[in-house]
Amino acid sequence: MNRSITDHFSAPLGDSSAHPMRVTVYQRIASAIEEGILPPQSLVPSENQLSELLGVSRTVVREALMLLAEDGLVVTRRGIGRFVSDTKPQAGIERAIPLDRLLADPAARDITVVRLETHLDHADATFASPQLGVPAGTRVLTVESVLSLGGRPVAYLLEHLPYAEEGPTELRALVERLLPEAQARSTDAPETTVLNALLEAFPRDLKPTSVRLAPARLGSSRAQLLDAGANDPALILTQIMSRGETPWYLAKCALTERVGAVSLAQTVA
């Protein structure tokens, strides 16, 4: 391992109270990729090496690497290790509706959305920034939710809306309405996905969602929220919604096998 890699990963992580540790580690590894410290096709340090350099557990490192793989930043070669992807991830061509509508069932199983956390964050340079088309460090609204179907948790959802000072006034207004303090003042604020709220506010202005699909494992943190096993399979959906040519919405969802079949309608361009 060369000195620049060692120096990058051995630097103090700083205050990580604003994020789960796995996200902090994700950001440290992602920044090494973005800055060229880990160039395309290069070997990523092992779990043991990263754990020792960063001063965190292997479990945290493993989850961070799993998230990087889901986002298309690293790939695994069995028996060799993990490597930096040689191309940046691209959005897919599938189109979908908000997840709480997507999971709607004619048998009238109740769908509930429980928001776990809502806060203003900063777009990282390797995922949120390029997907939303905003500079790294731009403030974004981040909302974490769990969706339950028939009383059982079936999906973990992470949603982002940009909140740039120079951004669209109407989008900034929606973000402010979704902040915890505004929700607390509203006696009839529904528990719904951010995308559902976005489409209700702008029903004719937004392009249908673009979705990238990838198989993965839940990992221990999501598994705990979903009452499932860390090694249980999951389908990862990365969604983008745009107004005109400008992305307004980004989300990543982990669906468990409990959701059953999910239909994605496709259209011809």
Side-chain angles (χ1 to χ4, degrees), residues 133-151:
V134 297
T138 299
R139 288 203 297 174
V140 295
L141 177 75
T142 298
V143 179
E144 290 184 83
S145 304
V146 166
L147 280 74
S148 295
L149 193 59

Side-chain angles (χ1 to χ4, degrees), residues 3 13 124 127 168 196:
R3 187 180 182 92
L13 289 174
D124 64 89
F127 180 63
N196 208 12

Side-chain angles (χ1 to χ4, degrees), residues 4 12 25 34 42 49 89-90 101 108 127 131-132 136 146 181 194 197 203 233 237 265:
S4 62
V25 173
E34 180 68 19
S42 65
Q49 290 173 322
Q90 301 293 321
R101 296 186 201 169
F127 180 63
Q131 300 281 15
L132 287 171
V146 166
E181 51 268 31
V194 171
L237 285 77

Side-chain angles (χ1 to χ4, degrees), residues 82-253:
R82 296 178 177 88
F83 291 79
V84 177
S85 299
D86 56 0
T87 58
K88 288 191 174 182
Q90 301 293 321
I93 60 171
E94 294 83 4
R95 300 176 187 263
I97 57 178
L99 194 61
D100 40 352
R101 296 186 201 169
L102 183 64
L103 298 182
D105 191 299
R109 292 183 294 178
D110 291 333
I111 298 173
T112 57
V113 179
V114 177
R115 290 186 185 171
L116 305 177
E117 188 173 349
T118 302
H119 61 272
L120 285 173
D121 207 341
H122 293 88
D124 64 89
T126 52
F127 180 63
S129 170
Q131 300 281 15
L132 287 171
V134 297
T138 299
R139 288 203 297 174
V140 295
L141 177 75
T142 298
V143 179
E144 290 184 83
S145 304
V146 166
L147 280 74
S148 295
L149 193 59
R152 299 189 67 193
V154 297
Y156 169 80
L157 179 62
L158 187 65
E159 301 177 280
H160 305 281
L161 293 178
Y163 187 60
E165 290 186 6
E166 65 280 8
T169 302
E170 57 269 52
L171 181 57
R172 287 176 54 85
L174 176 62
V175 169
E176 290 164 3
R177 290 200 301 272
L178 292 171
L179 289 172
E181 51 268 31
Q183 293 284 294
R185 291 193 297 268
S186 177
T187 58
D188 59 350
E191 289 284 274
T192 184
T193 61
V194 171
L195 182 53
N196 208 12
L198 186 65
L199 290 176
E200 288 178 358
F202 306 98
R204 299 182 180 179
D205 298 338
L206 299 172
K207 291 181 179 179
T209 308
S210 179
V211 179
R212 186 175 68 246
L213 308 175
R217 300 291 177 183
L218 279 177
S220 58
S221 298
R222 292 186 300 211
Q224 186 174 6
L225 293 171
L226 298 174
D227 190 24
N231 290 321
D232 285 0
L235 180 65
I236 306 300
L237 285 77
T238 303
Q239 301 176 289
I240 299 173
M241 179 72 78
S242 300
R243 186 184 192 191
E245 299 302 318
T246 304
W248 270 29
Y249 171 87
L250 169 66
K252 185 165 71 170
C253 177

Side-chain angles (χ1 to χ4, degrees), residues 9-27:
F9 287 108
S10 59
L13 289 174
D15 180 16
S16 60
S17 58
H19 306 282
M21 185 56 71
R22 67 184 184 278
V23 176
T24 302
V25 173
Y26 171 106
Q27 292 173 339

